[in-house]
mmCIF file of all heavy atoms in Angstrom:
data_model
loop_
_atom_site.group_PDB
_atom_site.id
_atom_site.type_symbol
_atom_site.label_atom_id
_atom_site.label_comp_id
_atom_site.label_asym_id
_atom_site.label_seq_id
_atom_site.Cartn_x
_atom_site.Cartn_y
_atom_site.Cartn_z
ATOM 1 N N TYR A 90 108.762 86.528 83.884
ATOM 2 C CA TYR A 90 107.658 87.509 83.975
ATOM 3 C C TYR A 90 106.396 86.899 84.606
ATOM 4 O O TYR A 90 105.784 87.538 85.458
ATOM 5 C CB TYR A 90 107.240 88.120 82.618
ATOM 6 C CG TYR A 90 108.357 88.226 81.621
ATOM 7 C CD1 TYR A 90 108.122 87.781 80.278
ATOM 8 C CD2 TYR A 90 109.581 88.726 81.934
ATOM 9 C CE1 TYR A 90 109.145 87.880 79.360
ATOM 10 C CE2 TYR A 90 110.580 88.816 80.983
ATOM 11 C CZ TYR A 90 110.379 88.374 79.710
ATOM 12 O OH TYR A 90 111.338 88.468 78.774
ATOM 13 N N SER A 142 107.224 93.686 74.262
ATOM 14 C CA SER A 142 108.573 93.065 74.266
ATOM 15 C C SER A 142 108.853 92.481 75.653
ATOM 16 O O SER A 142 108.105 92.733 76.610
ATOM 17 C CB SER A 142 109.618 94.164 73.975
ATOM 18 O OG SER A 142 109.721 95.021 75.146
ATOM 19 N N GLY A 143 109.915 91.686 75.712
ATOM 20 C CA GLY A 143 110.273 91.084 76.968
ATOM 21 C C GLY A 143 110.514 92.139 78.060
ATOM 22 O O GLY A 143 110.088 92.009 79.218
ATOM 23 N N GLY A 144 111.200 93.219 77.664
ATOM 24 C CA GLY A 144 111.510 94.278 78.616
ATOM 25 C C GLY A 144 110.236 94.959 79.139
ATOM 26 O O GLY A 144 110.120 95.278 80.328
ATOM 27 N N GLN A 145 109.284 95.141 78.209
ATOM 28 C CA GLN A 145 107.998 95.752 78.626
ATOM 29 C C GLN A 145 107.233 94.779 79.516
ATOM 30 O O GLN A 145 106.640 95.181 80.546
ATOM 31 C CB GLN A 145 107.199 96.076 77.377
ATOM 32 C CG GLN A 145 107.817 97.230 76.591
ATOM 33 C CD GLN A 145 107.201 97.435 75.225
ATOM 34 O OE1 GLN A 145 106.634 96.504 74.630
ATOM 35 N NE2 GLN A 145 107.307 98.626 74.659
ATOM 36 N N GLN A 147 108.469 92.590 81.478
ATOM 37 C CA GLN A 147 109.058 92.559 82.822
ATOM 38 C C GLN A 147 108.736 93.813 83.600
ATOM 39 O O GLN A 147 108.528 93.753 84.809
ATOM 40 C CB GLN A 147 110.593 92.332 82.701
ATOM 41 C CG GLN A 147 111.291 92.061 84.013
ATOM 42 C CD GLN A 147 110.700 90.849 84.746
ATOM 43 O OE1 GLN A 147 109.552 90.782 85.121
ATOM 44 N NE2 GLN A 147 111.543 89.848 84.913
ATOM 45 N N ARG A 148 108.589 94.915 82.908
ATOM 46 C CA ARG A 148 108.213 96.147 83.632
ATOM 47 C C ARG A 148 106.771 96.080 84.142
ATOM 48 O O ARG A 148 106.424 96.554 85.185
ATOM 49 C CB ARG A 148 108.419 97.369 82.707
ATOM 50 C CG ARG A 148 109.916 97.717 82.609
ATOM 51 C CD ARG A 148 110.175 98.974 81.822
ATOM 52 N NE ARG A 148 110.125 98.766 80.387
ATOM 53 C CZ ARG A 148 109.674 99.663 79.517
ATOM 54 N NH1 ARG A 148 109.227 100.813 79.922
ATOM 55 N NH2 ARG A 148 109.669 99.411 78.220
ATOM 56 N N ILE A 151 107.007 94.153 87.243
ATOM 57 C CA ILE A 151 107.415 94.962 88.383
ATOM 58 C C ILE A 151 106.245 95.792 88.908
ATOM 59 O O ILE A 151 105.980 95.877 90.101
ATOM 60 C CB ILE A 151 108.601 95.835 87.988
ATOM 61 C CG1 ILE A 151 109.847 95.005 87.709
ATOM 62 C CG2 ILE A 151 108.914 96.877 89.109
ATOM 63 C CD1 ILE A 151 111.004 95.770 87.096
ATOM 64 N N GLU A 166 116.680 87.114 89.115
ATOM 65 C CA GLU A 166 117.282 87.217 87.775
ATOM 66 C C GLU A 166 116.293 87.879 86.787
ATOM 67 O O GLU A 166 115.940 87.310 85.752
ATOM 68 C CB GLU A 166 117.691 85.869 87.275
ATOM 69 C CG GLU A 166 118.713 85.191 88.160
ATOM 70 C CD GLU A 166 119.400 83.962 87.550
ATOM 71 O OE1 GLU A 166 119.274 83.781 86.331
ATOM 72 O OE2 GLU A 166 120.039 83.234 88.285
ATOM 73 N N PRO A 167 115.884 89.121 87.106
ATOM 74 C CA PRO A 167 114.807 89.730 86.328
ATOM 75 C C PRO A 167 115.158 90.065 84.896
ATOM 76 O O PRO A 167 114.276 90.279 84.101
ATOM 77 C CB PRO A 167 114.524 91.047 87.117
ATOM 78 C CG PRO A 167 115.828 91.301 87.822
ATOM 79 C CD PRO A 167 116.357 89.960 88.192
ATOM 80 N N THR A 168 116.485 90.089 84.589
ATOM 81 C CA THR A 168 116.873 90.464 83.213
ATOM 82 C C THR A 168 117.469 89.304 82.424
ATOM 83 O O THR A 168 117.885 89.505 81.262
ATOM 84 C CB THR A 168 117.846 91.651 83.220
ATOM 85 O OG1 THR A 168 119.036 91.243 83.941
ATOM 86 C CG2 THR A 168 117.218 92.877 83.858
ATOM 87 N N SER A 169 117.537 88.142 83.009
ATOM 88 C CA SER A 169 118.354 87.112 82.343
ATOM 89 C C SER A 169 117.637 86.465 81.180
ATOM 90 O O SER A 169 118.279 85.788 80.361
ATOM 91 C CB SER A 169 118.910 86.078 83.306
ATOM 92 O OG SER A 169 117.915 85.616 84.093
ATOM 93 N N ALA A 170 116.320 86.660 81.044
ATOM 94 C CA ALA A 170 115.641 86.141 79.861
ATOM 95 C C ALA A 170 115.550 87.168 78.729
ATOM 96 O O ALA A 170 114.967 86.878 77.688
ATOM 97 C CB ALA A 170 114.235 85.681 80.266
ATOM 98 N N LEU A 171 116.123 88.335 78.966
ATOM 99 C CA LEU A 171 115.906 89.412 78.001
ATOM 100 C C LEU A 171 117.064 89.527 76.973
ATOM 101 O O LEU A 171 118.194 89.265 77.266
ATOM 102 C CB LEU A 171 115.851 90.775 78.744
ATOM 103 C CG LEU A 171 114.724 90.945 79.737
ATOM 104 C CD1 LEU A 171 114.864 92.270 80.440
ATOM 105 C CD2 LEU A 171 113.355 90.887 78.986
ATOM 106 N N ASP A 172 116.671 89.980 75.766
ATOM 107 C CA ASP A 172 117.681 90.314 74.790
ATOM 108 C C ASP A 172 118.526 91.453 75.361
ATOM 109 O O ASP A 172 117.974 92.340 76.080
ATOM 110 C CB ASP A 172 117.056 90.745 73.491
ATOM 111 C CG ASP A 172 116.398 89.600 72.760
ATOM 112 O OD1 ASP A 172 116.813 88.439 72.984
ATOM 113 O OD2 ASP A 172 115.430 89.837 72.006
ATOM 114 N N PRO A 173 119.810 91.479 75.080
ATOM 115 C CA PRO A 173 120.732 92.480 75.732
ATOM 116 C C PRO A 173 120.233 93.887 75.630
ATOM 117 O O PRO A 173 120.349 94.674 76.581
ATOM 118 C CB PRO A 173 122.026 92.282 74.983
ATOM 119 C CG PRO A 173 121.960 90.938 74.369
ATOM 120 C CD PRO A 173 120.513 90.568 74.172
ATOM 121 N N GLU A 174 119.641 94.276 74.529
ATOM 122 C CA GLU A 174 119.263 95.682 74.327
ATOM 123 C C GLU A 174 118.071 96.076 75.182
ATOM 124 O O GLU A 174 117.722 97.259 75.285
ATOM 125 C CB GLU A 174 119.038 96.004 72.837
ATOM 126 C CG GLU A 174 117.757 95.493 72.241
ATOM 127 C CD GLU A 174 117.834 94.061 71.708
ATOM 128 O OE1 GLU A 174 118.805 93.344 72.105
ATOM 129 O OE2 GLU A 174 116.994 93.708 70.903
ATOM 130 N N LEU A 175 117.419 95.058 75.798
ATOM 131 C CA LEU A 175 116.225 95.361 76.612
ATOM 132 C C LEU A 175 116.530 95.339 78.118
ATOM 133 O O LEU A 175 115.682 95.680 78.949
ATOM 134 C CB LEU A 175 115.126 94.347 76.334
ATOM 135 C CG LEU A 175 114.702 94.234 74.856
ATOM 136 C CD1 LEU A 175 113.627 93.170 74.661
ATOM 137 C CD2 LEU A 175 114.201 95.578 74.356
ATOM 138 N N VAL A 176 117.756 94.957 78.459
ATOM 139 C CA VAL A 176 118.144 94.844 79.884
ATOM 140 C C VAL A 176 118.101 96.216 80.553
ATOM 141 O O VAL A 176 117.570 96.351 81.664
ATOM 142 C CB VAL A 176 119.531 94.179 79.972
ATOM 143 C CG1 VAL A 176 120.107 94.304 81.391
ATOM 144 C CG2 VAL A 176 119.437 92.694 79.596
ATOM 145 N N GLY A 177 118.640 97.241 79.880
ATOM 146 C CA GLY A 177 118.778 98.527 80.470
ATOM 147 C C GLY A 177 117.505 99.149 80.972
ATOM 148 O O GLY A 177 117.462 99.740 82.058
ATOM 149 N N GLU A 178 116.428 98.979 80.206
ATOM 150 C CA GLU A 178 115.163 99.630 80.598
ATOM 151 C C GLU A 178 114.596 99.005 81.891
ATOM 152 O O GLU A 178 113.952 99.712 82.671
ATOM 153 C CB GLU A 178 114.142 99.529 79.449
ATOM 154 C CG GLU A 178 113.708 98.107 79.107
ATOM 155 C CD GLU A 178 112.921 98.021 77.782
ATOM 156 O OE1 GLU A 178 113.423 98.407 76.754
ATOM 157 O OE2 GLU A 178 111.796 97.546 77.820
ATOM 158 N N VAL A 179 114.861 97.723 82.083
ATOM 159 C CA VAL A 179 114.383 97.064 83.321
ATOM 160 C C VAL A 179 115.253 97.487 84.481
ATOM 161 O O VAL A 179 114.760 97.804 85.587
ATOM 162 C CB VAL A 179 114.345 95.536 83.156
ATOM 163 C CG1 VAL A 179 114.017 94.855 84.461
ATOM 164 C CG2 VAL A 179 113.329 95.149 82.081
ATOM 165 N N LEU A 180 116.567 97.517 84.237
ATOM 166 C CA LEU A 180 117.467 97.915 85.342
ATOM 167 C C LEU A 180 117.217 99.378 85.757
ATOM 168 O O LEU A 180 117.323 99.714 86.924
ATOM 169 C CB LEU A 180 118.936 97.770 84.916
ATOM 170 C CG LEU A 180 119.406 96.309 84.678
ATOM 171 C CD1 LEU A 180 120.891 96.305 84.277
ATOM 172 C CD2 LEU A 180 119.164 95.460 85.938
ATOM 173 N N LYS A 181 116.827 100.219 84.758
ATOM 174 C CA LYS A 181 116.547 101.585 85.104
ATOM 175 C C LYS A 181 115.366 101.679 86.062
ATOM 176 O O LYS A 181 115.382 102.449 87.048
ATOM 177 C CB LYS A 181 116.276 102.405 83.841
ATOM 178 C CG LYS A 181 115.900 103.837 84.193
ATOM 179 C CD LYS A 181 115.715 104.760 83.017
ATOM 180 C CE LYS A 181 115.384 106.180 83.465
ATOM 181 N NZ LYS A 181 114.274 106.245 84.473
ATOM 182 N N VAL A 182 114.313 100.930 85.795
ATOM 183 C CA VAL A 182 113.160 100.916 86.676
ATOM 184 C C VAL A 182 113.591 100.441 88.066
ATOM 185 O O VAL A 182 113.146 100.998 89.087
ATOM 186 C CB VAL A 182 112.034 99.996 86.098
ATOM 187 C CG1 VAL A 182 110.942 99.742 87.114
ATOM 188 C CG2 VAL A 182 111.473 100.626 84.814
ATOM 189 N N MET A 183 114.431 99.429 88.116
ATOM 190 C CA MET A 183 114.902 98.927 89.406
ATOM 191 C C MET A 183 115.720 99.961 90.165
ATOM 192 O O MET A 183 115.626 100.091 91.396
ATOM 193 C CB MET A 183 115.684 97.613 89.233
ATOM 194 C CG MET A 183 114.815 96.486 88.709
ATOM 195 S SD MET A 183 115.781 95.047 88.189
ATOM 196 C CE MET A 183 116.591 94.610 89.712
ATOM 197 N N LYS A 184 116.551 100.689 89.428
ATOM 198 C CA LYS A 184 117.366 101.728 90.041
ATOM 199 C C LYS A 184 116.515 102.836 90.616
ATOM 200 O O LYS A 184 116.727 103.363 91.708
ATOM 201 C CB LYS A 184 118.383 102.300 89.038
ATOM 202 C CG LYS A 184 119.628 101.465 88.936
ATOM 203 C CD LYS A 184 120.614 102.173 88.054
ATOM 204 C CE LYS A 184 121.501 101.139 87.379
ATOM 205 N NZ LYS A 184 122.103 101.631 86.139
ATOM 206 N N THR A 197 121.065 88.601 90.621
ATOM 207 C CA THR A 197 121.341 89.011 89.242
ATOM 208 C C THR A 197 122.759 88.718 88.831
ATOM 209 O O THR A 197 123.656 88.564 89.673
ATOM 210 C CB THR A 197 121.099 90.553 89.052
ATOM 211 O OG1 THR A 197 121.223 90.912 87.679
ATOM 212 C CG2 THR A 197 122.019 91.409 89.900
ATOM 213 N N HIS A 198 122.912 88.615 87.520
ATOM 214 C CA HIS A 198 124.271 88.455 86.951
ATOM 215 C C HIS A 198 124.746 89.815 86.428
ATOM 216 O O HIS A 198 125.820 89.894 85.867
ATOM 217 C CB HIS A 198 124.266 87.473 85.828
ATOM 218 C CG HIS A 198 123.818 86.104 86.235
ATOM 219 N ND1 HIS A 198 124.587 85.289 87.107
ATOM 220 C CD2 HIS A 198 122.703 85.398 86.013
ATOM 221 C CE1 HIS A 198 123.953 84.192 87.350
ATOM 222 N NE2 HIS A 198 122.776 84.217 86.701
ATOM 223 N N GLU A 199 123.922 90.826 86.590
ATOM 224 C CA GLU A 199 124.308 92.164 86.079
ATOM 225 C C GLU A 199 125.192 92.862 87.122
ATOM 226 O O GLU A 199 124.702 93.519 88.040
ATOM 227 C CB GLU A 199 123.058 93.017 85.854
ATOM 228 C CG GLU A 199 122.168 92.556 84.743
ATOM 229 C CD GLU A 199 122.886 92.683 83.385
ATOM 230 O OE1 GLU A 199 123.735 93.589 83.241
ATOM 231 O OE2 GLU A 199 122.518 91.882 82.483
ATOM 232 N N MET A 200 126.481 92.693 86.920
ATOM 233 C CA MET A 200 127.422 93.259 87.914
ATOM 234 C C MET A 200 127.414 94.793 87.928
ATOM 235 O O MET A 200 127.680 95.399 88.931
ATOM 236 C CB MET A 200 128.817 92.753 87.647
ATOM 237 C CG MET A 200 128.960 91.257 87.826
ATOM 238 S SD MET A 200 128.450 90.719 89.514
ATOM 239 C CE MET A 200 127.726 89.152 89.099
ATOM 240 N N ARG A 201 127.026 95.362 86.744
ATOM 241 C CA ARG A 201 126.960 96.792 86.715
ATOM 242 C C ARG A 201 125.831 97.309 87.641
ATOM 243 O O ARG A 201 126.006 98.292 88.360
ATOM 244 C CB ARG A 201 126.668 97.290 85.287
ATOM 245 C CG ARG A 201 127.466 98.493 84.901
ATOM 246 C CD ARG A 201 127.170 98.925 83.505
ATOM 247 N NE ARG A 201 125.750 99.275 83.358
ATOM 248 C CZ ARG A 201 125.040 99.022 82.227
ATOM 249 N NH1 ARG A 201 125.586 98.478 81.231
ATOM 250 N NH2 ARG A 201 123.750 99.342 82.210
ATOM 251 N N PHE A 202 124.716 96.595 87.648
ATOM 252 C CA PHE A 202 123.628 96.948 88.555
ATOM 253 C C PHE A 202 124.124 96.842 90.012
ATOM 254 O O PHE A 202 123.892 97.722 90.830
ATOM 255 C CB PHE A 202 122.392 96.090 88.344
ATOM 256 C CG PHE A 202 121.297 96.361 89.347
ATOM 257 C CD1 PHE A 202 120.447 97.439 89.151
ATOM 258 C CD2 PHE A 202 121.157 95.592 90.485
ATOM 259 C CE1 PHE A 202 119.454 97.715 90.083
ATOM 260 C CE2 PHE A 202 120.145 95.878 91.414
ATOM 261 C CZ PHE A 202 119.293 96.924 91.205
#
Side-chain angles (χ1 to χ4, degrees):
Y90 333 132
S142 72
Q145 291 169 336
Q147 190 57 298
R148 286 185 279 147
I151 294 172
E166 300 192 14
T168 59
S169 51
L171 297 176
D172 290 334
E174 74 273 20
L175 304 178
V176 167
E178 65 192 58
V179 173
L180 293 181
K181 177 176 182 309
V182 168
M183 293 169 62
K184 276 186 209 157
T197 186
H198 300 291
E199 292 294 331
M200 296 302 147
R201 221 182 59 215
F202 176 82

